[in-house]
Amino acid sequence: MEKLQNYIAEVSAIDFNRLHFFDASSVVVTSGNLSRGHSAVGKPAFEVQRYASNATYTVNLLHSVNGISHFNILRGPSNGLELLQFFEEALEQVDALENPVVKINDVIVMDNCGFHHGNDVEPNLRDMLHDERRAHLIYQPPYHPCFNTCKQCFHFMKTVLRRYTTYTEKYTELCISDALQMITAGHSRQFFKFCGYL
């Protein structure tokens, strides 16, 4: 509770336009071609597995009230090195007016995933953000994913992936990219409102 109260006090003092949320989500590609089940000889099968995993992707996402600031798609899981590379790319991104998406004194908020606090990762990430943009890094309170707007983005993305199953199975990365690009500034404001920042 103390960490939660400290977090709320800290973000309450920050202009929501300066907040950027980071999170990662896995995407498992499935196919309905294979069906497997278990049964005794001569008995009907039960526990049928209709979907078999073909590949797993990780989507890293940086989200602000204006929309998706930056994302990348990895094959397989992420790690500390991938996190640092993601932020190197994110700090180079510019908006439609050629202004950096992460501006001076902005705040990056992320969860407490183990490698986010790695001995080499956290200090290097803090240095990178400070040196490039004098940006600050803060962590959400443990066990409170509801404070990360990326969760709403991932829910939106996975709804689109489920809606277009053939597209998702055949062109997973393109479908993920298209789904994330559907998230507008209007959606983002709603996500910030849902999470209590507006």
Side-chain angles (χ1 to χ4, degrees):
M1 285 302 293
E2 183 181 344
K3 288 183 179 181
L4 173 60
Q5 291 169 349
N6 290 342
Y7 174 81
I8 291 171
E10 187 172 9
V11 295
S12 296
I14 300 169
D15 177 4
F16 65 85
N17 289 297
R18 292 177 44 219
L19 293 172
H20 297 267
F21 292 88
F22 171 82
D23 203 357
S25 177
S26 63
V27 174
V28 178
V29 182
T30 58
S31 167
N33 295 334
L34 299 176
S35 292
R36 294 200 170 94
H38 302 281
S39 68
V41 176
K43 302 281 184 177
F46 63 95
E47 296 180 4
V48 174
Q49 179 185 352
R50 296 193 184 279
Y51 300 98
S53 175
N54 292 334
T56 300
Y57 295 86
T58 299
V59 180
N60 290 316
L61 181 71
L62 191 64
H63 180 245
S64 75
V65 73
N66 298 314
I68 304 292
S69 304
H70 181 59
F71 71 91
N72 71 6
I73 304 166
L74 309 172
R75 282 193 177 267
S78 188
N79 57 39
L81 180 59
E82 296 288 357
L83 177 69
L84 293 174
Q85 289 174 345
F86 174 86
F87 276 99
E88 279 181 8
E89 295 169 3
L91 292 171
E92 295 173 1
Q93 300 301 311
V94 293
D95 61 18
L97 300 173
E98 298 296 317
N99 295 314
V101 293
V102 178
K103 297 175 178 58
I104 302 296
N105 291 323
D106 276 357
V107 177
I108 308 295
V109 182
M110 65 174 60
D111 65 16
N112 289 280
C113 174
F115 67 80
H116 294 176
H117 290 287
N119 292 338
D120 294 328
V121 176
E122 183 179 347
N124 284 327
L125 181 56
R126 285 187 186 279
D127 290 346
M128 179 193 309
L129 293 171
H130 184 267
D131 293 346
E132 293 288 327
R133 297 283 189 275
R134 293 199 305 273
H136 309 283
L137 174 64
I138 61 175
Y139 290 94
Q140 295 166 228
Y143 311 112
H144 286 84
C146 56
F147 287 114
N148 195 320
T149 63
C150 293
K151 298 296 184 194
Q152 301 301 311
C153 296
F154 291 138
H155 176 74
F156 183 100
M157 175 191 77
K158 289 184 178 184
T159 300
V160 173
L161 297 182
R162 282 191 295 271
R163 186 178 303 147
Y164 302 105
T165 54
T166 303
Y167 185 28
T168 302
E169 288 172 20
K170 292 185 177 183
Y171 307 103
T172 308
E173 294 181 59
L174 286 174
C175 194
I176 292 169
S177 178
D178 287 348
L180 291 175
Q181 289 176 33
M182 291 179 192
I183 297 173
T184 64
H187 289 118
S188 296
R189 290 184 70 83
Q190 288 301 313
F191 298 162
F192 266 65
K193 189 174 183 181
F194 180 84
C195 293
Y197 298 107
L198 286 177

